Amino acid sequence: MGRLSAIILAMAAFGAVADAQATPRPEERRIFETQAGIRDVQEDGEDNVYLHLWPRHMRFRLAVESLQKRGELLALIEESALAGRSIRIRYDGTEGRFVPLIELIDYPACAFIFDDRVFAAAKPCGSETFTGSPSGEAALGLSFAHLDAGHYATAKDWAERSVGAELERLKLYARASATESLGALAVPGSEAADRLLISALADYRRLAALDPQNDDLQFDIGGLLEQLGAYREARAHYESLLSRFPDEEFSVRIRLGALRRQQGEYERALDELDRLVASLGPQEGMKYDYHRGWTLLLLNRFEDAVKTLDRGLEYQPDYAFAFEMRSCAHAGLGQLDKAVADMEKSTRLLSEMPNAADSQYIQGQLRQQAKALTTLRQGIADGGKPILNLCKESNRQWEEPRVRSPLLPAA
């Protein structure tokens, strides 16, 4: 998987709305919140400011009534981007509409939020629930909203309800993403999990046949092969991308390193990252530092792991899993007070994500972190000796090799 984004704090302005009424069931939900790093900002001649975030196929727009307000909003967006922090968006999932030329769903936002600053739309979001049975592009809009919120079964259901030839590719993508996530949350290596992952793989391959120049789909295919234990096929697939999409060498090398790490080949995983530096020069940013720090942690090079994750957090200071990883490195050094502080920070960031309360994945991670904190506090009480493998349980699925799925056709 890889769909958890960077995080900012929840806004009290909207907490009152949520507390005033019962939380709707996922299939009845209308109002959503999301947050992620900004990928692109656009304006038009009608006072709309558009945000493209890292979740694919979703765009959010907010009408701004004056040049002054537009300037303030653009300054806020720039501040968020420069700080490497996310922006938060509240929107109506039933109002998403398909934009054919760029193949995404456009949602009118109720508000853009950054820290304690709220840019609200003139038209509020309204009721938290809806009645009726949206179809077509409205159903597809709900599918992507639920997908982003972590309601994968509901996202898959809404994708199936969307009808229209022009929507087919986005429908396939929403269904594939939801099915993949359901498979990743099932018991690893089980027949039930593998059937879901193979179904998602088939959809991604259909999409890739329709859009062969879309490199993102190729990475989706490689990721599914990894999860199914088809490591040799995954490696060959990624290596083929180096010639097909030479501009994507960074992402390919990161994936090849992760593949080695998944197979327990930690030194070779580090070699892949070193090859990236040798080819493209020194690397900066959370993605590189996080993967390098993770690999160093598994090699018990705890001091190096801490320094690497320190650097990554300078670029993205609200990435919850970097704090968790650094906590485990501090634990390996016997720096248990620092380990507790980092794990508590990670827990807070995760728990304050939109929809954290009903995200199966996030709740599972929070349970693992609660166990880790108990271990750390007991370690302090016992004298503060180093604790190894603190992250092992939460990362087991991504660190331990599995047999190739018997449900796959012969290699």
Side-chain angles (χ1 to χ4, degrees):
M1 292 174 64
R3 33 184 62 89
L4 289 184
S5 41
I7 305 143
I8 58 174
L9 301 182
M11 283 298 301
F14 297 129
V17 175
D19 292 340
Q21 50 191 301
T23 302
R25 294 185 299 172
E27 63 270 21
E28 298 174 339
R29 180 167 296 188
R30 178 177 190 166
I31 307 305
F32 295 81
E33 287 189 13
T34 188
Q35 60 187 30
I38 298 166
R39 181 162 51 90
D40 189 30
V41 183
Q42 295 175 335
E43 301 176 73
D44 63 17
E46 299 179 0
D47 298 326
N48 289 305
V49 174
Y50 297 88
L51 282 191
H52 298 250
L53 304 184
W54 283 111
R56 282 181 265 174
H57 307 308
M58 300 175 78
R59 181 179 76 177
F60 305 91
R61 59 185 161 87
L62 186 70
V64 185
E65 69 277 14
S66 70
L67 287 175
Q68 178 183 346
K69 285 292 184 183
R70 178 180 295 213
E72 292 174 1
L73 176 56
L74 292 174
L76 176 149
I77 292 169
E78 182 179 10
E79 180 182 345
S80 166
L82 289 174
R85 296 173 55 206
S86 339
I87 198 163
R88 194 179 188 104
I89 299 172
R90 184 171 170 85
Y91 67 101
D92 187 335
T94 67
E95 294 293 324
R97 293 298 179 263
F98 178 63
V99 184
L101 290 177
I102 47 179
E103 283 215 332
L104 52 68
I105 305 296
D106 177 84
Y107 299 88
C110 310
F112 291 171
I113 311 126
F114 185 69
D115 287 340
D116 59 350
R117 284 164 288 176
V118 179
F119 280 78
K123 180 183 177 182
C125 268
S127 171
E128 293 283 331
T129 60
F130 65 90
T131 57
S133 182
S135 60
E137 60 185 340
L140 191 59
L142 277 166
S143 177
F144 278 104
H146 282 288
L147 184 64
D148 184 62
H151 309 146
Y152 303 122
T154 306
K156 186 177 179 183
D157 181 55
W158 279 116
E160 296 289 0
R161 298 193 208 185
S162 62
V163 178
E166 73 283 2
L167 304 178
E168 187 62 22
R169 290 205 292 192
L170 283 190
K171 172 181 176 175
L172 270 174
Y173 181 79
R175 186 174 72 186
S177 296
T179 306
E180 177 191 359
S181 296
L182 289 168
L185 290 170
V187 177
S190 67
E191 181 177 346
D194 284 1
R195 287 194 182 282
L196 287 164
L197 296 175
I198 286 172
S199 176
L201 179 61
D203 274 348
Y204 281 128
R205 282 175 165 160
R206 290 188 192 101
L207 278 167
L210 294 171
D211 190 2
Q213 297 307 309
N214 188 326
D215 55 317
D216 287 333
L217 294 173
Q218 299 299 328
F219 285 109
D220 290 325
I221 290 169
L224 265 299
L225 291 170
E226 288 182 54
Q227 291 184 67
L228 288 162
Y231 301 129
R232 186 172 62 180
E233 295 102 304
R235 182 168 187 83
H237 179 78
Y238 288 138
E239 288 178 340
S240 74
L241 300 185
L242 288 172
S243 58
R244 292 183 59 193
F245 304 100
D247 290 344
E248 292 299 324
E249 182 175 359
F250 174 86
S251 296
V252 172
R253 292 292 178 200
I254 292 289
R255 288 296 188 98
L256 286 170
L259 182 61
R260 292 294 189 189
R261 187 175 62 236
Q262 173 89 49
Q263 295 174 269
E265 300 172 354
Y266 305 141
E267 290 287 359
R268 297 183 76 178
L270 210 57
D271 287 344
E272 291 289 356
L273 298 177
D274 290 341
R275 290 178 68 183
L276 173 60
V277 173
S279 176
L280 300 180
Q283 297 297 305
E284 297 178 341
M286 174 57 80
K287 190 169 186 177
Y288 174 80
D289 287 328
Y290 179 74
H291 281 274
R292 188 172 183 83
W294 187 349
T295 307
L296 290 166
L297 174 66
L298 291 171
L299 287 166
N300 291 340
R301 291 173 54 181
F302 302 122
E303 289 187 7
D304 291 336
V306 168
K307 290 176 183 177
T308 301
L309 292 164
D310 284 348
R311 186 173 61 228
L313 285 164
E314 291 177 5
Y315 293 98
Q316 191 175 337
D318 60 357
Y319 189 50
F321 293 108
F323 283 103
E324 179 184 37
M325 200 67 68
R326 194 174 68 176
S327 171
C328 297
H330 280 306
L333 291 168
Q335 299 169 348
L336 303 192
D337 287 335
K338 291 182 178 180
V340 166
D342 272 352
M343 193 65 73
E344 287 178 339
K345 176 78 169 181
S346 181
T347 295
R348 181 173 66 81
L349 289 169
L350 278 179
S351 64
E352 290 172 341
M353 287 183 73
N355 310 297
D358 54 4
S359 168
Q360 185 179 349
Y361 180 77
I362 294 174
Q363 288 302 310
Q365 294 301 305
L366 289 172
R367 287 191 293 273
Q368 293 297 337
Q369 290 189 353
K371 292 179 182 178
L373 280 167
T374 298
T375 299
L376 288 169
R377 288 168 180 144
Q378 185 61 51
I380 292 172
D382 292 341
K385 294 180 181 179
I387 298 175
L388 305 182
N389 299 321
L390 184 66
C391 284
K392 194 66 177 178
E393 191 60 37
S394 61
N395 291 327
R396 186 179 301 278
Q397 186 175 355
W398 314 111
E399 292 177 355
E400 294 188 357
R402 56 159 293 181
V403 298
R404 187 178 185 277
S405 173
L407 301 182
L408 285 168

